[in-house]
């Protein structure tokens, strides 16, 4: 198949129009999902059965069912109840935009909660004990010791989750939203050239996720001051090797 | 002795293989979500006008047919990728599609109209109950379309993506209405009932069937029945290189139209005769 560059260019520029919506969906659902995840993670590590159990159940349900099914249940399922259509929630749930954000947020909350819990549990007991010995209050200890260490630990897993979320926004196209994949589907229906259009759509997601990955790599370096001396120490080692 | 029996068995198998190959199998893809043209029945098997017609055509072509369901989105790319040999899925012949695949002689005409909630402002759009051909009555049809466009200003209209219905909306109502594309007609009907869209545009036969369902009680057809133009005619989609298969389909369809089989099946499934005229 010969490459049709004018068509590829036209496709790519049309797809760029879908980036703002894709980013909005990803960003808003990430923010809402992370708040929810933080609450869930605290419930999980609370040690209180009445808090831990509901959080566990939530995570079990949202991790165990496909995101597409969740999107459909929230968009097509909820609208089947007349009582909901007459409730104050309907102006929100009427819009595919909010349904997509709700579904994505609820889904990412389940995954992120476990990432945050893992981060919290990874904080060495010795550090907590030392802080306690210094007389820190529970809140101060959490803010100064536990949270910074946990954040650093969970960052790689969390950047994974964000990249997954950016890709998951593609499912919003199934409920009429014209984000990158929605526009791609429309272009295919007009041109019947799925290969070129999907390659362009894939390249667009790749570009977005390249920046997401770079951003998190940057944050990781920022949060690990001890590692910033790494190049110097490796060069020292190299010198040693030369000797 | 043992070698002999193995050889004999191999021979039997080989000859069985050739007899199987003689009976040609044609796989036909349909959507399975476009009642009453094609849909999954209560027990999961495919049913509908096109399923019945496909059986008739295969009998006349003297081939064994397998009918399978395929998502509308990828139905043309999968044909060119040889996942199956033919498409019978209420597919209209359009110049864009003809660039990629070949079509048999038509077996039905495409007739489309709007549907809207009976108690809403779009319940009785101009021309309700009238029929217009976008080819032979272009001017009258355009007049009705302009009247409807004024009514649809700022309203959300659902259509199934990659269809002649969406092509029609994009061509005539792009600036007037907020056109929302759905994966299937069933999905836009759900959103019409829940009030997310103010109207839908779809094949009249499909809408007529959908309106018989209890959930759709509050919905009625509105505006004229449009045919011709972008809606064109409905035919079997085939790969361009399969000219022999096309000739077989053409002959079978012509004979089924000539002896009234298409009309009979059309009346059975649609209550109206959609067999192509002229």
């Amino acid at each position: 198949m010969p490459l049709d560059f004018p068509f590829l260019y036209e496709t790519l520029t049309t797809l760029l129009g879908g980036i703002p919506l894709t980013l909005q969906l990803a960003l808003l659902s990430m923010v809402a999902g992370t708040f929810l995840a933080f609450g869930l993670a605290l419930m999980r590590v609370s040690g209180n059965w009445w808090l831990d159990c509901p959080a566990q159940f939530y995570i079990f349900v949202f991790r165990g069912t496909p995101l597409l099914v969740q999107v459909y249940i929230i968009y097509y399922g909820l609208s089947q109840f007349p009582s909901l259509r007459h409730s104050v929630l309907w102006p929100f749930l009427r819009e595919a935009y909010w349904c997509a954000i709700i579904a994505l947020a609820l889904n990412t909350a389940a995954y992120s909660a476990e990432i945050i819990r893992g981060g919290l549990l990874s904080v060495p007991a010795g550090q907590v004990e030392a802080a306690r010995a210094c007389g820190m209050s529970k809140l101060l200890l959490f803010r100064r010791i536990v949270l910074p260490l946990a954040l650093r630990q969970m960052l790689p897993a969390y950047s994974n989750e964000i990249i997954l979320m950016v890709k998951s926004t593609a499912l919003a196209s199934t409920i009429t939203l014209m984000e990158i994949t929605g526009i791609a589907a429309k272009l295919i229906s007009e041109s019947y050239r799925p290969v070129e259009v999907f390659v362009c759509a894939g390249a667009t997601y790749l570009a977005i996720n390249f920046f997401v990955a770079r951003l998190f790599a940057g944050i990781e370096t920022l949060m690990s001051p001890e590692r910033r001396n790494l190049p110097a120490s490796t060069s020292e080692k190299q010198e040693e090797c030369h000797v | 002795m043992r070698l002999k029996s193995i050889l004999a068995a191999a021979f039997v198998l080989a000859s069985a293989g050739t007899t199987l190959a003689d009976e040609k199998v044609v796989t036909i893809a349909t959507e399975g979500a476009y009642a009453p043209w094609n849909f999954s029945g209560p027990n999961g098997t495919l049913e509908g006008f096109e399923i019945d017609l496909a059986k008739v055509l295969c009998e006349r072509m003297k081939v064994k047919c397998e009918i399978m369901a395929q998502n509308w989105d990828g139905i043309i790319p999968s044909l060119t990728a040889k996942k199956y040999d033919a498409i019978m899925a209420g597919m209209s012949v359009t110049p864009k599609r003809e660039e990629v695949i070949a079509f048999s002689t038509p077996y039905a005409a495409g007739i489309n109209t709007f549907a809207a909630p009976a108690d809403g402002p779009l319940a009785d759009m101009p021309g309700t109950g009238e029929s217009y051909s976008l080819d032979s009555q272009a001017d009258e049809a355009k007049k009705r379309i302009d009247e409807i466009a004024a009514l649809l200003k700022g309203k959300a209209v659902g259509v199934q993506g990659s269809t002649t219905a969406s092509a029609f909306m994009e061509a005539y109502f792009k600036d007037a209405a907020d056109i929302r594309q759905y994966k299937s007609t069933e999905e836009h009907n759900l959103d019409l009932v829940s009030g997310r869209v103010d109207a839908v545009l779809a094949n009249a036969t499909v809408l007529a069937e959908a309106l018989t369902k209890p959930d759709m009680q509050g919905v009625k057809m509105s505006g004229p029945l449009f045919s011709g133009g972008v809606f064109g005619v409905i035919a079997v989609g085939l790969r361009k290189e399969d000219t022999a298969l096309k000739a077989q389909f053409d002959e079978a369809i012509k004979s089924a139209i000539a002896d009234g089989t298409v009309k009979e099946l059309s009346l059975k499934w649609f209550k109206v005769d959609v067999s192509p005229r002229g």
Side-chain angles (χ1 to χ4, degrees):
Chain A
M1 187 168 54
L3 277 179
D4 179 355
F5 282 106
F7 178 75
L8 286 178
Y9 178 76
E10 197 192 314
T11 302
L12 210 53
T13 46
T14 316
L15 288 176
L16 290 183
I19 291 182
L21 183 55
T22 293
L23 290 183
Q24 274 176 42
L25 290 173
L27 208 68
L28 283 177
S29 57
M30 277 319 299
V31 171
T34 305
F35 273 108
L36 190 55
F38 200 71
L40 285 167
L42 290 182
M43 285 163 82
R44 288 283 280 121
V45 298
S46 66
N48 181 332
W49 191 89
W50 292 103
L51 290 174
D52 185 13
C53 223
Q56 260 192 55
F57 181 73
Y58 176 93
I59 292 165
F60 167 70
V61 170
F62 278 87
R63 274 202 315 191
T65 52
L67 178 54
L68 181 64
V69 172
Q70 293 162 19
V71 169
Y72 268 47
I73 287 177
I74 289 171
Y75 186 76
Y76 289 115
L78 292 183
S79 68
Q80 297 302 296
F81 298 99
S83 55
L84 197 124
R85 290 211 299 271
H86 298 115
S87 74
V88 288
L89 291 172
W90 185 240
F92 264 109
L93 292 173
R94 188 181 196 269
E95 300 303 325
Y97 180 78
W98 292 111
C99 287
I101 287 174
I102 292 169
L104 289 167
L106 292 178
N107 185 270
T108 188
Y111 286 93
S112 305
E114 287 298 274
I115 293 171
I116 296 172
R117 184 175 74 99
L120 292 174
L121 292 180
S122 75
V123 177
Q127 307 240 9
V128 179
E129 273 168 27
R132 223 176 262 154
C134 292
M136 280 193 194
S137 72
K138 246 188 169 169
L139 207 65
L140 190 68
L141 184 143
F142 187 75
R143 187 162 62 82
R144 283 230 184 121
I145 310 296
V146 176
L147 202 57
L149 287 171
L151 279 178
R152 206 170 68 188
Q153 278 302 319
M154 69 194 202
L155 213 55
Y158 190 65
S159 69
N160 246 353
E161 175 59 21
I162 291 192
I163 287 170
L164 282 172
M165 280 307 286
V166 171
K167 293 187 289 184
S168 301
T169 57
L171 291 177
S173 66
T174 61
I175 53 170
T176 74
L177 287 177
M178 294 309 252
E179 39 63 76
I180 296 171
T181 307
I183 294 177
K186 200 175 161 213
L187 289 176
I188 291 168
S189 76
E190 287 166 4
S191 65
Y192 301 107
R193 292 164 78 167
V195 179
E196 287 102 323
V197 177
F198 275 138
V199 165
C200 286
T204 315
Y205 282 108
L206 203 59
I208 295 175
N209 281 332
F210 172 78
F211 285 111
V212 173
R214 294 312 306 156
L215 180 74
F216 272 86
I219 297 174
E220 224 177 302
T221 327
L222 215 67
M223 285 180 77
S224 321
E226 78 282 358
R227 269 196 250 164
R228 262 176 278 167
N229 301 325
L230 218 59
S233 61
T234 33
S235 61
E236 269 168 35
K237 263 184 200 155
Q238 274 172 351
E239 273 168 37
E240 277 169 26
C241 290
H242 284 297
V243 175
Chain B
M1 179 62 207
R2 195 155 174 200
L3 186 70
K4 221 174 171 180
S5 61
I6 289 172
L7 279 175
F11 180 74
V12 169
L13 276 176
S15 53
T18 51
T19 49
L20 275 178
D22 281 340
E23 194 178 11
K24 209 183 150 201
V25 178
V26 176
T27 46
I28 301 175
T30 193
E31 189 193 2
Y34 200 60
W37 292 76
N38 57 74
F39 58 98
S40 295
N43 51 4
T45 54
L46 289 165
E47 291 175 27
F49 169 71
E50 282 168 325
I51 313 304
D52 283 359
L53 182 62
K55 284 174 190 158
V56 169
L57 296 181
C58 292
E59 213 178 279
R60 292 182 188 202
M61 286 156 53
K62 296 190 178 60
V63 293
K64 196 173 173 298
C65 280
E66 276 170 22
I67 303 170
M68 56 191 272
Q70 157 75 31
N71 260 354
W72 179 255
D73 264 356
I75 208 161
I76 289 180
S78 299
L79 173 73
T80 53
K82 303 199 169 171
K83 297 236 166 78
Y84 35 78
D85 306 309
I87 300 170
M88 287 181 76
M91 184 180 278
S92 304
V93 182
T94 65
K96 277 267 189 192
R97 286 177 184 149
E98 279 185 310
E99 281 174 21
V100 188
I101 57 171
F103 283 99
S104 71
T105 189
Y107 58 80
I111 303 167
N112 282 46
T113 192
F114 290 97
D119 54 359
L122 301 177
D124 290 292
M125 291 199 276
T128 301
E130 298 168 11
S131 294
Y132 292 101
S133 161
L134 296 171
D135 299 319
S136 57
Q137 297 160 285
D139 296 336
E140 293 100 309
K142 187 76 185 83
K143 195 170 150 266
R144 286 296 186 214
I145 285 168
D146 288 341
E147 288 168 6
I148 291 169
L151 282 175
L152 290 182
K153 203 104 208 152
K155 298 272 198 286
V157 180
V159 286
Q160 185 181 10
S162 327
T163 59
T164 52
S166 75
F168 175 76
M169 285 305 293
E170 292 286 339
Y172 294 102
F173 298 98
K174 200 179 174 138
D175 301 320
D178 167 16
I179 304 163
R180 306 236 180 112
Q181 304 225 354
Y182 288 83
K183 298 274 173 205
S184 71
T185 58
E186 287 165 357
E187 287 175 354
H188 69 45
N189 289 343
L190 280 175
D191 269 5
L192 180 65
V193 171
S194 70
R196 283 195 182 113
V197 293
D198 302 294
V200 296
L201 180 101
N203 191 290
T205 54
V206 177
L207 282 177
E209 164 75 14
L211 293 186
T212 61
K213 300 210 175 104
D215 308 349
M216 299 280 285
Q217 281 312 307
V219 176
K220 70 182 283 285
M221 287 205 218
S222 176
L225 299 166
F226 292 108
S227 62
V230 287
F231 297 123
V233 288
I234 289 156
V236 183
L238 299 155
R239 277 185 295 273
K240 284 191 169 173
E241 65 266 29
D242 289 349
T243 46
L245 189 61
K246 175 176 153 47
Q248 277 183 297
F249 265 110
D250 284 350
E251 198 190 324
I253 290 167
K254 273 177 199 154
S255 85
I257 292 172
D259 69 6
T261 311
V262 172
K263 185 180 175 187
E264 188 188 313
L265 288 176
S266 170
L267 289 174
K268 174 187 167 193
W269 288 102
F270 306 133
K271 317 276 188 292
V272 289
D273 179 14
V274 300
S275 53
R277 292 159 188 92

